[in-house]
Amino acid sequence: MNTTLSVTCPYTPGNPAETRFTWFYANTSAIGSNQNLSLSNVQLTGEGYYKCRVNNTMDPTGCTAEEGYDETTFFVDVQYPAKIRRFSADGSVFASSVTINESQTVTLLCEADSDPLATLEIVNFTKSDERLLGEAHNNTISARVVNARCEFDMGVYQCKGKNIHNAVQQVREIEIKIACSPRPSPFTTPIVTAYRRRNSSAILSFTIVAYPPPNDASAYVWRKQVDGKWVTLLNNNRFQIRLSNDSLQTNLSISQLQIDDFTNYSVRVNNQVGSTEQTFVIRATEQPSVPQQLLVVDAMVTESSVTVKWTPGFNGGEDQWFVIGYKKAADEFWTYINVSSTVTQLSIGDLVAGTKYEVKMYAENIIGKSDETTALSVTTQSVISDNGSSPSVGAAVGGAVGGILAVVIFVVLWKYRNAFKRKPGEGAQYDDLFNRQADVLAANTSSEYEAYRVESQQTNQYETLAETSFHEYSVLSPGGKQDYSVTNRVTQGTENDCASLNQQNAYVNV
Protein backbone atom coordinates (compact mmCIF):
# COMPACT_ATOMS: atom_id res chain seq x y z
CA MET A 1 0.00 0.00 0.00
CA ASN A 2 1.03 3.54 -0.89
CA THR A 3 3.77 2.33 -3.17
CA THR A 4 4.16 2.38 -7.03
CA LEU A 5 3.78 -0.78 -9.08
CA SER A 6 5.31 -0.98 -12.60
CA VAL A 7 4.45 -3.98 -14.80
CA THR A 8 5.75 -4.85 -18.25
CA CYS A 9 3.63 -7.04 -20.49
CA PRO A 10 5.90 -9.71 -22.02
CA TYR A 11 5.14 -10.83 -25.59
CA THR A 12 6.54 -12.51 -28.72
CA PRO A 13 6.04 -10.44 -31.83
CA GLY A 14 3.83 -11.84 -34.63
CA ASN A 15 3.82 -11.19 -38.39
CA PRO A 16 3.49 -8.40 -39.04
CA ALA A 17 5.55 -7.42 -35.98
CA GLU A 18 3.54 -4.32 -35.27
CA THR A 19 1.82 -5.00 -31.88
CA ARG A 20 -0.80 -3.12 -29.89
CA PHE A 21 -1.14 -3.33 -26.02
CA THR A 22 -4.29 -2.95 -23.92
CA TRP A 23 -4.53 -3.12 -20.07
CA PHE A 24 -7.71 -4.02 -18.22
CA TYR A 25 -8.57 -4.01 -14.47
CA ALA A 26 -11.17 -6.49 -13.22
CA ASN A 27 -12.86 -6.81 -16.61
CA THR A 28 -13.47 -3.10 -16.72
CA SER A 29 -12.59 -0.62 -19.37
CA ALA A 30 -9.06 -0.26 -20.60
CA ILE A 31 -6.69 1.48 -18.23
CA GLY A 32 -3.56 1.51 -20.44
CA SER A 33 -2.27 1.03 -24.00
CA ASN A 34 1.48 0.72 -23.54
CA GLN A 35 3.60 -2.28 -22.93
CA ASN A 36 4.32 -0.97 -19.44
CA LEU A 37 1.65 -0.28 -16.80
CA SER A 38 2.45 1.96 -13.85
CA LEU A 39 0.28 2.05 -10.72
CA SER A 40 1.33 4.86 -8.39
CA ASN A 41 0.38 5.17 -4.66
CA VAL A 42 -1.42 1.86 -4.70
CA GLN A 43 -4.37 1.66 -2.31
CA LEU A 44 -6.48 -1.20 -1.10
CA THR A 45 -8.97 -0.36 -3.83
CA GLY A 46 -6.30 -1.22 -6.39
CA GLU A 47 -6.16 -4.81 -5.23
CA GLY A 48 -7.50 -7.32 -7.78
CA TYR A 49 -6.92 -8.99 -11.17
CA TYR A 50 -5.21 -7.13 -14.02
CA LYS A 51 -5.11 -8.24 -17.73
CA CYS A 52 -2.63 -7.45 -20.48
CA ARG A 53 -3.75 -8.04 -24.11
CA VAL A 54 -1.53 -7.89 -27.21
CA ASN A 55 -2.77 -7.98 -30.82
CA ASN A 56 -1.78 -7.32 -34.45
CA THR A 57 -3.56 -7.20 -37.82
CA MET A 58 -2.87 -9.93 -40.38
CA ASP A 59 -3.75 -8.75 -43.94
CA PRO A 60 -2.52 -11.46 -46.41
CA THR A 61 -2.72 -10.76 -50.12
CA GLY A 62 -6.05 -11.73 -51.56
CA CYS A 63 -7.52 -12.52 -48.15
CA THR A 64 -9.64 -10.75 -45.61
CA ALA A 65 -7.78 -8.91 -42.90
CA GLU A 66 -7.84 -10.70 -39.50
CA GLU A 67 -6.99 -9.55 -35.91
CA GLY A 68 -4.71 -11.78 -33.97
CA TYR A 69 -4.35 -11.42 -30.10
CA ASP A 70 -3.20 -13.04 -26.91
CA GLU A 71 -3.62 -12.00 -23.25
CA THR A 72 -2.48 -12.86 -19.69
CA THR A 73 -3.64 -11.91 -16.20
CA PHE A 74 -2.09 -11.41 -12.75
CA PHE A 75 -3.34 -10.51 -9.28
CA VAL A 76 -2.21 -7.49 -7.30
CA ASP A 77 -2.23 -8.17 -3.54
CA VAL A 78 -2.11 -4.84 -1.73
CA GLN A 79 -0.59 -5.47 1.71
CA TYR A 80 -0.45 -3.09 4.69
CA PRO A 81 0.61 -3.05 8.36
CA ALA A 82 -1.59 -4.59 11.00
CA LYS A 83 -4.01 -2.29 12.76
CA ILE A 84 -6.16 -3.21 15.80
CA ARG A 85 -9.71 -2.29 15.06
CA ARG A 86 -11.38 -3.29 18.35
CA PHE A 87 -10.47 -4.42 21.85
CA SER A 88 -13.36 -4.93 24.25
CA ALA A 89 -14.37 -6.64 27.49
CA ASP A 90 -17.71 -8.45 27.64
CA GLY A 91 -18.91 -6.67 24.51
CA SER A 92 -18.27 -3.13 25.70
CA VAL A 93 -16.96 -2.09 22.28
CA PHE A 94 -16.40 1.61 22.82
CA ALA A 95 -15.63 1.61 26.55
CA SER A 96 -12.08 2.28 27.63
CA SER A 97 -12.79 0.63 31.00
CA VAL A 98 -15.26 -1.77 32.56
CA THR A 99 -16.12 -2.46 36.21
CA ILE A 100 -16.85 -5.95 37.48
CA ASN A 101 -17.30 -7.56 40.87
CA GLU A 102 -14.61 -9.56 42.57
CA SER A 103 -14.61 -13.26 41.56
CA GLN A 104 -16.47 -12.46 38.34
CA THR A 105 -15.31 -13.82 34.93
CA VAL A 106 -14.78 -11.44 32.01
CA THR A 107 -14.06 -12.16 28.30
CA LEU A 108 -11.64 -10.02 26.28
CA LEU A 109 -11.92 -9.82 22.45
CA CYS A 110 -9.35 -8.29 20.08
CA GLU A 111 -9.81 -7.83 16.31
CA ALA A 112 -7.22 -6.55 13.86
CA ASP A 113 -7.09 -5.42 10.21
CA SER A 114 -3.95 -6.83 8.66
CA ASP A 115 -2.52 -8.15 5.41
CA PRO A 116 -0.82 -10.49 5.82
CA LEU A 117 -2.38 -11.97 8.97
CA ALA A 118 -1.23 -10.40 12.19
CA THR A 119 0.39 -11.94 15.24
CA LEU A 120 -1.85 -10.94 18.15
CA GLU A 121 -1.34 -11.11 21.95
CA ILE A 122 -3.53 -10.29 24.92
CA VAL A 123 -1.53 -9.49 28.07
CA ASN A 124 -2.29 -8.50 31.64
CA PHE A 125 -0.30 -5.30 32.13
CA THR A 126 -1.69 -4.43 35.56
CA LYS A 127 1.57 -3.92 37.49
CA SER A 128 4.10 -3.18 34.72
CA ASP A 129 4.73 -6.90 34.50
CA GLU A 130 3.32 -8.48 31.36
CA ARG A 131 1.39 -11.68 31.88
CA LEU A 132 0.43 -13.38 28.60
CA LEU A 133 -3.20 -14.48 28.46
CA GLY A 134 -3.40 -15.54 24.78
CA GLU A 135 -1.54 -15.50 21.46
CA ALA A 136 -2.62 -16.24 17.85
CA HIS A 137 -1.49 -15.82 14.23
CA ASN A 138 -4.81 -14.47 13.18
CA ASN A 139 -6.72 -11.26 12.91
CA THR A 140 -8.97 -12.20 15.84
CA ILE A 141 -8.13 -13.37 19.38
CA SER A 142 -9.97 -13.72 22.70
CA ALA A 143 -9.07 -14.48 26.32
CA ARG A 144 -10.91 -14.92 29.64
CA VAL A 145 -10.16 -13.63 33.12
CA VAL A 146 -11.67 -16.24 35.42
CA ASN A 147 -12.52 -15.55 39.07
CA ALA A 148 -11.11 -12.03 38.92
CA ARG A 149 -8.94 -11.06 41.86
CA CYS A 150 -8.59 -7.50 43.00
CA GLU A 151 -4.86 -7.78 43.76
CA PHE A 152 -3.75 -9.42 40.52
CA ASP A 153 -6.48 -8.92 37.91
CA MET A 154 -7.51 -5.31 38.36
CA GLY A 155 -5.74 -2.89 36.01
CA VAL A 156 -4.78 -2.39 32.40
CA TYR A 157 -5.02 -5.09 29.72
CA GLN A 158 -3.44 -4.77 26.31
CA CYS A 159 -3.97 -6.24 22.86
CA LYS A 160 -0.76 -6.17 20.82
CA GLY A 161 -0.50 -6.89 17.07
CA LYS A 162 1.86 -6.58 14.12
CA ASN A 163 2.87 -8.14 10.80
CA ILE A 164 5.89 -7.87 8.53
CA HIS A 165 4.96 -4.34 7.50
CA ASN A 166 4.71 -2.89 11.01
CA ALA A 167 7.68 -0.85 12.09
CA VAL A 168 6.12 -0.47 15.55
CA GLN A 169 3.84 -2.94 17.31
CA GLN A 170 0.22 -1.86 17.54
CA VAL A 171 -1.33 -1.66 21.05
CA ARG A 172 -4.85 -1.10 22.33
CA GLU A 173 -5.74 -0.94 26.04
CA ILE A 174 -8.75 -1.47 28.22
CA GLU A 175 -8.93 -1.09 32.01
CA ILE A 176 -10.74 -3.60 34.17
CA LYS A 177 -11.84 -2.29 37.55
CA ILE A 178 -12.82 -4.79 40.24
CA ALA A 179 -14.94 -3.61 43.16
CA CYS A 180 -13.23 -4.76 46.37
CA SER A 181 -12.46 -3.69 49.93
CA PRO A 182 -8.96 -2.37 50.79
CA ARG A 183 -6.17 -4.89 51.33
CA PRO A 184 -2.34 -4.66 51.42
CA SER A 185 -0.77 -4.51 47.99
CA PRO A 186 1.19 -7.70 47.22
CA PHE A 187 3.46 -5.66 44.97
CA THR A 188 4.53 -3.20 47.69
CA THR A 189 4.88 -5.21 50.88
CA PRO A 190 4.86 -2.96 53.97
CA ILE A 191 7.93 -2.91 56.21
CA VAL A 192 6.21 -3.52 59.52
CA THR A 193 9.29 -3.24 61.76
CA ALA A 194 11.52 -0.18 61.58
CA TYR A 195 14.82 0.05 63.48
CA ARG A 196 15.96 3.56 64.32
CA ARG A 197 18.03 5.52 66.80
CA ARG A 198 16.74 8.21 69.09
CA ASN A 199 16.48 11.70 67.56
CA SER A 200 16.44 10.19 64.05
CA SER A 201 13.47 10.06 61.67
CA ALA A 202 11.18 7.23 60.58
CA ILE A 203 8.65 6.80 57.78
CA LEU A 204 5.94 4.14 57.93
CA SER A 205 4.37 3.44 54.52
CA PHE A 206 1.25 1.47 53.60
CA THR A 207 0.16 0.73 50.01
CA ILE A 208 -3.22 -0.83 49.35
CA VAL A 209 -5.32 -2.31 46.57
CA ALA A 210 -8.92 -1.12 46.62
CA TYR A 211 -11.76 -0.04 44.35
CA PRO A 212 -13.20 2.43 44.59
CA PRO A 213 -10.18 4.16 46.13
CA PRO A 214 -10.58 5.79 49.55
CA ASN A 215 -12.31 9.13 49.21
CA ASP A 216 -9.68 11.31 50.89
CA ALA A 217 -7.20 11.48 53.75
CA SER A 218 -9.99 11.00 56.30
CA ALA A 219 -10.34 7.41 55.11
CA TYR A 220 -6.92 6.71 56.64
CA VAL A 221 -6.60 6.72 60.44
CA TRP A 222 -3.15 6.44 62.01
CA ARG A 223 -2.84 5.50 65.69
CA LYS A 224 -0.06 5.11 68.23
CA GLN A 225 -0.01 2.81 71.27
CA VAL A 226 0.67 4.73 74.46
CA ASP A 227 0.61 2.93 77.83
CA GLY A 228 -1.38 0.07 76.34
CA LYS A 229 -4.01 2.37 74.76
CA TRP A 230 -4.38 3.46 71.12
CA VAL A 231 -4.23 7.20 70.49
CA THR A 232 -5.22 8.75 67.14
CA LEU A 233 -2.43 10.75 65.50
CA LEU A 234 -2.89 14.13 63.86
CA ASN A 235 -0.47 16.30 61.92
CA ASN A 236 1.84 18.35 64.11
CA ASN A 237 5.45 19.48 64.18
CA ARG A 238 6.77 15.89 64.58
CA PHE A 239 4.05 13.71 63.04
CA GLN A 240 3.04 14.17 59.38
CA ILE A 241 0.45 12.04 57.54
CA ARG A 242 0.53 12.12 53.74
CA LEU A 243 -1.59 10.55 50.97
CA SER A 244 -0.59 9.69 47.38
CA ASN A 245 -2.38 11.21 44.39
CA ASP A 246 -4.23 7.97 43.63
CA SER A 247 -5.23 7.61 47.33
CA LEU A 248 -3.73 4.11 47.43
CA GLN A 249 -0.71 4.88 49.60
CA THR A 250 -0.25 6.68 52.93
CA ASN A 251 2.90 7.60 54.82
CA LEU A 252 3.43 8.49 58.48
CA SER A 253 6.60 10.55 59.00
CA ILE A 254 8.03 10.95 62.51
CA SER A 255 10.93 13.27 63.22
CA GLN A 256 13.18 13.49 66.28
CA LEU A 257 12.22 10.09 67.68
CA GLN A 258 11.78 10.12 71.46
CA ILE A 259 11.74 7.19 73.88
CA ASP A 260 7.94 6.91 73.87
CA ASP A 261 7.96 6.80 70.05
CA PHE A 262 9.49 3.32 70.11
CA THR A 263 6.16 1.55 70.25
CA ASN A 264 3.39 0.05 68.08
CA TYR A 265 1.49 1.93 65.36
CA SER A 266 -1.51 1.05 63.22
CA VAL A 267 -3.30 2.44 60.19
CA ARG A 268 -6.89 1.69 59.28
CA VAL A 269 -8.31 2.44 55.82
CA ASN A 270 -11.82 2.01 54.43
CA ASN A 271 -13.81 2.48 51.24
CA GLN A 272 -17.41 1.85 50.22
CA VAL A 273 -16.90 -1.93 50.22
CA GLY A 274 -14.98 -2.55 53.47
CA SER A 275 -11.82 -1.80 55.44
CA THR A 276 -8.45 -3.19 56.49
CA GLU A 277 -5.84 -2.46 59.17
CA GLN A 278 -2.06 -2.77 59.27
CA THR A 279 0.21 -2.60 62.32
CA PHE A 280 3.81 -1.38 62.56
CA VAL A 281 6.44 -1.16 65.28
CA ILE A 282 9.40 1.17 65.64
CA ARG A 283 12.25 -0.38 67.60
CA ALA A 284 15.42 1.27 68.75
CA THR A 285 18.83 0.03 67.73
CA GLU A 286 21.15 1.38 70.37
CA GLN A 287 22.70 0.52 73.70
CA PRO A 288 20.50 1.01 76.78
CA SER A 289 20.47 4.11 78.95
CA VAL A 290 22.25 4.34 82.27
CA PRO A 291 20.13 2.95 85.15
CA GLN A 292 18.73 5.75 87.28
CA GLN A 293 18.64 6.44 91.03
CA LEU A 294 21.08 3.77 92.18
CA LEU A 295 21.10 3.88 96.00
CA VAL A 296 21.85 1.78 99.05
CA VAL A 297 18.93 0.66 101.20
CA ASP A 298 20.29 1.75 104.59
CA ALA A 299 17.77 -0.27 106.57
CA MET A 300 19.00 -3.46 104.91
CA VAL A 301 22.74 -3.02 105.54
CA THR A 302 24.00 -5.86 107.76
CA GLU A 303 27.36 -7.16 108.92
CA SER A 304 27.68 -9.37 105.82
CA SER A 305 25.45 -7.83 103.14
CA VAL A 306 24.24 -4.61 101.57
CA THR A 307 21.16 -4.06 99.43
CA VAL A 308 20.97 -1.68 96.48
CA LYS A 309 18.04 -0.69 94.29
CA TRP A 310 17.67 1.32 91.10
CA THR A 311 15.27 2.46 88.39
CA PRO A 312 15.76 0.96 84.87
CA GLY A 313 16.44 3.35 82.01
CA PHE A 314 15.50 3.06 78.32
CA ASN A 315 16.42 -0.42 77.08
CA GLY A 316 17.50 0.74 73.61
CA GLY A 317 14.71 -1.21 71.95
CA GLU A 318 16.16 -4.61 72.87
CA ASP A 319 15.94 -6.80 75.95
CA GLN A 320 18.42 -5.51 78.50
CA TRP A 321 20.06 -6.84 81.65
CA PHE A 322 21.92 -5.17 84.49
CA VAL A 323 25.47 -5.68 85.68
CA ILE A 324 26.24 -4.85 89.33
CA GLY A 325 29.87 -4.33 90.31
CA TYR A 326 31.25 -4.16 93.86
CA LYS A 327 34.60 -4.25 95.63
CA LYS A 328 36.28 -3.31 98.86
CA ALA A 329 37.20 0.34 98.76
CA ALA A 330 40.85 -0.61 99.26
CA ASP A 331 40.84 -3.22 96.47
CA GLU A 332 41.59 -2.66 92.82
CA PHE A 333 39.47 -5.30 91.08
CA TRP A 334 35.67 -5.40 90.85
CA THR A 335 33.34 -8.35 91.17
CA TYR A 336 30.37 -8.28 88.77
CA ILE A 337 26.91 -9.85 88.99
CA ASN A 338 24.47 -10.15 86.04
CA VAL A 339 20.86 -9.38 86.91
CA SER A 340 17.66 -9.86 84.86
CA SER A 341 15.82 -6.82 83.54
CA THR A 342 12.88 -7.66 85.79
CA VAL A 343 14.99 -7.15 88.94
CA THR A 344 15.36 -3.66 90.42
CA GLN A 345 16.79 -4.55 93.82
CA LEU A 346 19.72 -6.80 94.76
CA SER A 347 21.28 -7.97 98.03
CA ILE A 348 25.06 -8.43 97.83
CA GLY A 349 26.20 -10.99 100.40
CA ASP A 350 29.33 -12.64 101.77
CA LEU A 351 30.80 -9.30 102.77
CA VAL A 352 33.19 -8.54 105.62
CA ALA A 353 31.73 -6.79 108.68
CA GLY A 354 32.76 -3.23 109.36
CA THR A 355 34.31 -2.84 105.88
CA LYS A 356 33.83 -0.05 103.36
CA TYR A 357 32.66 -1.17 99.90
CA GLU A 358 32.00 0.57 96.57
CA VAL A 359 29.04 -0.36 94.34
CA LYS A 360 28.29 0.65 90.74
CA MET A 361 26.27 -0.73 87.81
CA TYR A 362 25.45 -0.41 84.13
CA ALA A 363 22.86 -1.80 81.68
CA GLU A 364 23.60 -3.94 78.63
CA ASN A 365 21.77 -5.33 75.57
CA ILE A 366 22.79 -7.03 72.33
CA ILE A 367 23.75 -3.67 70.83
CA GLY A 368 26.10 -2.62 73.61
CA LYS A 369 26.27 -1.37 77.16
CA SER A 370 25.43 1.91 78.84
CA ASP A 371 27.76 4.15 80.76
CA GLU A 372 28.41 3.19 84.35
CA THR A 373 26.70 4.87 87.26
CA THR A 374 28.63 6.82 89.84
CA ALA A 375 30.13 4.44 92.41
CA LEU A 376 28.44 4.43 95.81
CA SER A 377 30.26 3.92 99.12
CA VAL A 378 28.73 1.83 101.90
CA THR A 379 30.14 0.31 105.09
CA THR A 380 28.84 -2.95 106.49
CA GLN A 381 27.79 -3.05 110.13
CA SER A 382 30.46 -3.82 112.72
CA VAL A 383 30.19 -6.84 115.01
CA ILE A 384 30.90 -4.46 118.00
CA SER A 385 27.63 -3.35 119.61
CA ASP A 386 26.82 0.26 120.44
CA ASN A 387 27.83 -0.09 124.18
CA GLY A 388 31.17 -1.52 123.29
CA SER A 389 30.53 -5.03 124.63
CA SER A 390 31.42 -7.99 122.57
CA PRO A 391 28.73 -10.50 121.56
CA SER A 392 30.01 -13.07 124.08
CA VAL A 393 29.89 -10.58 126.95
CA GLY A 394 26.38 -9.45 125.99
CA ALA A 395 25.20 -13.02 125.84
CA ALA A 396 26.65 -13.76 129.25
CA VAL A 397 25.03 -10.70 130.79
CA GLY A 398 21.71 -11.53 129.16
CA GLY A 399 21.91 -15.12 130.38
CA ALA A 400 22.69 -14.07 133.97
CA VAL A 401 19.83 -11.58 134.05
CA GLY A 402 17.47 -14.16 132.60
CA GLY A 403 18.49 -16.71 135.23
CA ILE A 404 17.93 -14.26 138.12
CA LEU A 405 14.52 -13.34 136.71
CA ALA A 406 13.53 -17.00 136.48
CA VAL A 407 14.38 -17.57 140.19
CA VAL A 408 12.32 -14.54 141.22
CA ILE A 409 9.29 -15.73 139.23
CA PHE A 410 9.56 -19.20 140.73
CA VAL A 411 9.56 -17.82 144.31
CA VAL A 412 6.55 -15.62 143.59
CA LEU A 413 4.62 -18.51 142.10
CA TRP A 414 5.39 -20.70 145.13
CA LYS A 415 4.06 -18.05 147.48
CA TYR A 416 0.93 -17.55 145.41
CA ARG A 417 0.38 -21.29 145.34
CA ASN A 418 0.39 -21.50 149.14
CA ALA A 419 -1.84 -18.48 149.46
CA PHE A 420 -4.45 -19.95 147.15
CA LYS A 421 -4.23 -23.47 148.56
CA ARG A 422 -7.53 -24.47 150.22
CA LYS A 423 -7.54 -25.54 153.83
CA PRO A 424 -9.23 -28.84 154.78
CA GLY A 425 -12.99 -28.49 155.17
CA GLU A 426 -13.03 -25.13 153.49
CA GLY A 427 -15.25 -24.95 150.43
CA ALA A 428 -14.25 -23.28 147.25
CA GLN A 429 -16.38 -20.58 145.70
CA TYR A 430 -17.75 -22.73 142.87
CA ASP A 431 -17.77 -26.19 144.45
CA ASP A 432 -21.34 -26.74 143.46
CA LEU A 433 -20.22 -26.91 139.85
CA PHE A 434 -17.97 -29.94 140.57
CA ASN A 435 -19.91 -31.95 143.19
CA ARG A 436 -21.89 -33.84 140.50
CA GLN A 437 -25.18 -32.31 141.59
CA ALA A 438 -27.79 -32.84 139.01
CA ASP A 439 -29.56 -29.56 139.50
CA VAL A 440 -28.50 -26.67 141.76
CA LEU A 441 -30.42 -23.48 142.07
CA ALA A 442 -28.64 -20.22 141.79
CA ALA A 443 -29.71 -19.27 145.32
CA ASN A 444 -27.70 -22.16 146.76
CA THR A 445 -24.46 -21.02 145.27
CA SER A 446 -22.17 -18.28 146.34
CA SER A 447 -21.54 -17.14 142.74
CA GLU A 448 -23.32 -14.87 140.37
CA TYR A 449 -23.91 -17.63 137.84
CA GLU A 450 -27.07 -19.55 137.05
CA ALA A 451 -27.42 -23.25 137.97
CA TYR A 452 -25.15 -25.51 136.04
CA ARG A 453 -26.56 -28.90 135.04
CA VAL A 454 -24.14 -31.77 135.20
CA GLU A 455 -25.19 -35.02 133.58
CA SER A 456 -24.81 -37.96 135.93
CA GLN A 457 -22.98 -40.08 133.39
CA GLN A 458 -20.39 -37.42 132.64
CA THR A 459 -17.45 -37.03 134.99
CA ASN A 460 -14.30 -35.03 135.22
CA GLN A 461 -15.61 -32.01 133.26
CA TYR A 462 -13.54 -28.88 133.59
CA GLU A 463 -14.07 -25.35 132.60
CA THR A 464 -11.10 -23.81 130.88
CA LEU A 465 -9.96 -20.80 132.78
CA ALA A 466 -8.25 -18.20 130.66
CA GLU A 467 -7.10 -14.72 131.38
CA THR A 468 -8.72 -12.34 128.95
CA SER A 469 -6.03 -9.73 128.98
CA PHE A 470 -2.68 -9.85 127.23
CA HIS A 471 0.61 -8.50 128.38
CA GLU A 472 3.71 -7.37 126.56
CA TYR A 473 7.09 -8.29 127.91
CA SER A 474 10.41 -6.89 126.85
CA VAL A 475 13.13 -9.32 125.99
CA LEU A 476 16.07 -8.58 128.18
CA SER A 477 19.10 -7.93 126.04
CA PRO A 478 22.22 -5.80 126.38
CA GLY A 479 21.18 -3.43 123.61
CA GLY A 480 17.52 -3.22 124.57
CA LYS A 481 16.67 -2.56 120.92
CA GLN A 482 14.21 -5.30 120.05
CA ASP A 483 10.74 -5.73 121.54
CA TYR A 484 8.64 -8.84 121.18
CA SER A 485 4.92 -9.22 121.79
CA VAL A 486 4.22 -12.34 123.86
CA THR A 487 0.65 -13.55 124.28
CA ASN A 488 -0.61 -15.82 127.05
CA ARG A 489 -1.35 -19.40 126.21
CA VAL A 490 -4.33 -21.29 127.70
CA THR A 491 -3.93 -25.01 128.42
CA GLN A 492 -6.87 -27.43 128.41
CA GLY A 493 -7.13 -29.42 131.65
CA THR A 494 -7.03 -33.22 131.69
CA GLU A 495 -7.75 -36.00 134.14
CA ASN A 496 -4.05 -36.23 134.98
CA ASP A 497 -3.82 -32.56 135.93
CA CYS A 498 -2.54 -32.47 139.54
CA ALA A 499 -4.52 -29.40 140.46
CA SER A 500 -7.72 -31.02 139.18
CA LEU A 501 -7.21 -34.32 141.04
CA ASN A 502 -6.45 -32.48 144.30
CA GLN A 503 -9.41 -30.15 143.66
CA GLN A 504 -7.05 -27.20 143.80
CA ASN A 505 -9.04 -25.15 141.38
CA ALA A 506 -6.87 -22.04 141.53
CA TYR A 507 -4.69 -21.31 138.53
CA VAL A 508 -1.92 -18.82 138.00
CA ASN A 509 -1.46 -17.70 134.39
CA VAL A 510 2.25 -17.45 133.61
Side-chain angles (χ1 to χ4, degrees):
M1 186 180 291
N2 298 322
T3 60
T4 297
L5 174 64
S6 295
V7 182
T8 298
C9 184
Y11 75 101
T12 300
N15 187 17
E18 182 181 355
T19 304
R20 297 182 296 275
F21 299 89
T22 307
W23 292 91
F24 301 91
Y25 170 64
N27 295 322
T28 60
S29 58
I31 58 173
S33 57
N34 298 318
Q35 184 180 3
N36 297 323
L37 175 68
S38 178
L39 301 176
S40 61
N41 194 25
V42 176
Q43 300 298 310
L44 191 58
T45 56
E47 184 176 82
Y49 286 95
Y50 287 80
K51 180 190 297 183
C52 173
R53 176 181 293 178
V54 293
N55 66 309
N56 62 357
T57 301
M58 295 175 291
D59 188 14
T61 303
C63 294
T64 304
E66 182 179 354
E67 290 293 324
Y69 72 92
D70 194 11
E71 59 186 24
T72 185
T73 62
F74 62 92
F75 183 82
V76 174
D77 178 20
V78 180
Q79 295 186 348
Y80 48 89
K83 182 179 181 180
I84 298 174
R85 292 191 305 167
R86 183 176 68 172
F87 184 40
S88 61
D90 282 348
S92 302
V93 179
F94 301 105
S96 60
S97 67
V98 294
T99 301
I100 63 174
N101 294 323
E102 195 168 18
S103 301
Q104 184 177 332
T105 297
V106 61
T107 300
L108 301 172
L109 177 64
C110 182
E111 296 177 331
D113 185 12
S114 173
D115 190 3
L117 293 176
T119 299
L120 296 179
E121 296 177 345
I122 295 180
V123 296
N124 180 339
F125 203 72
T126 57
K127 301 300 175 184
S128 300
D129 182 18
E130 294 187 15
R131 182 158 52 98
L132 182 64
L133 300 183
E135 182 179 19
H137 184 63
N138 203 332
N139 285 351
T140 301
I141 189 175
S142 64
R144 301 176 70 212
V145 179
V146 180
N147 193 24
R149 298 165 296 175
C150 201
E151 300 92 325
F152 302 98
D153 299 323
M154 181 170 64
V156 175
Y157 289 76
Q158 293 181 342
C159 176
K160 299 180 178 182
K162 67 177 182 178
N163 62 18
I164 59 175
H165 300 295
N166 287 100
V168 179
Q169 191 173 42
Q170 302 296 294
V171 179
R172 286 280 290 271
E173 293 183 347
I174 188 171
E175 184 178 11
I176 296 180
K177 301 176 180 179
I178 304 174
C180 60
S181 60
R183 72 275 318 263
S185 171
F187 307 102
T188 310
T189 304
I191 301 175
V192 298
T193 303
Y195 294 89
R196 298 291 186 274
R197 291 185 176 271
R198 277 183 297 178
N199 298 319
S200 65
S201 300
I203 297 178
L204 305 179
S205 181
F206 186 45
T207 305
I208 65 167
V209 175
Y211 189 79
N215 295 329
D216 50 34
S218 64
Y220 289 89
V221 179
W222 281 95
R223 298 187 301 166
K224 173 184 177 182
Q225 193 172 37
V226 180
D227 296 332
K229 297 181 180 180
W230 289 99
V231 178
T232 301
L233 295 176
L234 301 175
N235 287 327
N236 56 35
N237 59 337
R238 288 204 310 118
F239 293 87
Q240 291 292 324
I241 300 173
R242 295 181 175 87
L243 192 64
S244 63
N245 292 333
D246 61 4
S247 298
L248 295 179
Q249 185 183 77
T250 179
N251 294 335
L252 172 63
S253 300
I254 309 173
S255 61
Q256 296 296 314
L257 288 170
Q258 306 302 314
I259 291 179
D260 61 355
D261 294 330
F262 295 97
T263 183
N264 296 321
Y265 296 82
S266 74
V267 58
R268 185 175 183 84
V269 56
N270 63 81
N271 68 356
Q272 301 173 8
V273 182
S275 63
T276 189
E277 186 168 1
Q278 179 65 51
T279 58
F280 300 84
V281 60
I282 299 179
R283 301 188 65 179
T285 52
E286 60 184 32
Q287 65 273 14
S289 300
V290 181
Q292 304 297 313
Q293 301 175 357
L294 174 66
L295 56 87
V296 175
V297 183
D298 294 332
M300 301 180 70
V301 176
T302 69
E303 298 171 356
S304 61
S305 68
V306 295
T307 299
V308 293
K309 67 178 182 179
W310 62 91
T311 300
F314 178 53
N315 63 6
E318 299 288 345
D319 292 336
Q320 68 175 346
W321 60 92
F322 303 110
V323 182
I324 314 296
Y326 69 96
K327 72 178 182 68
K328 291 180 182 179
D331 290 348
E332 179 181 358
F333 299 102
W334 294 81
T335 300
Y336 292 94
I337 305 173
N338 285 347
V339 180
S340 168
S341 62
T342 59
V343 177
T344 58
Q345 180 172 307
L346 177 68
S347 178
I348 305 173
D350 295 331
L351 306 182
V352 179
T355 304
K356 184 178 181 180
Y357 285 86
E358 291 183 353
V359 182
K360 64 181 180 179
M361 72 177 298
Y362 60 87
E364 189 172 2
N365 63 13
I366 61 175
I367 306 298
K369 68 178 185 178
S370 71
D371 294 333
E372 295 181 345
T373 62
T374 302
L376 302 179
S377 295
V378 58
T379 303
T380 56
Q381 287 190 359
S382 175
V383 295
I384 305 301
S385 62
D386 293 341
N387 59 14
S389 301
S390 66
S392 59
V393 174
V397 172
V401 173
I404 296 172
L405 180 61
V407 172
V408 172
I409 294 175
F410 179 81
V411 172
V412 172
L413 293 179
W414 179 263
K415 288 183 179 181
Y416 270 97
R417 179 180 183 277
N418 291 332
F420 285 118
K421 186 174 182 180
R422 184 172 41 167
K423 298 179 177 58
E426 184 180 5
Q429 192 175 10
Y430 301 112
D431 280 358
D432 53 275
L433 295 179
F434 297 93
N435 289 335
R436 302 182 182 178
Q437 300 179 36
D439 195 0
V440 181
L441 297 178
N444 296 334
T445 67
S446 59
S447 71
E448 59 183 1
Y449 295 91
E450 293 292 337
Y452 180 78
R453 182 177 182 85
V454 181
E455 298 297 335
S456 58
Q457 68 274 19
Q458 295 180 347
T459 61
N460 297 325
Q461 294 190 1
Y462 299 92
E463 180 180 2
T464 300
L465 302 182
E467 185 173 281
T468 58
S469 63
F470 296 85
H471 304 286
E472 289 189 356
Y473 299 91
S474 297
V475 176
L476 299 181
S477 63
K481 292 183 177 180
Q482 296 175 327
D483 292 336
Y484 294 85
S485 178
V486 181
T487 59
N488 300 316
R489 297 183 179 178
V490 178
T491 305
Q492 186 76 28
T494 65
E495 289 183 347
N496 296 325
D497 192 299
C498 295
S500 299
L501 295 176
N502 297 328
Q503 294 186 345
Q504 297 173 352
N505 296 319
Y507 296 85
V508 176
N509 193 303
V510 182

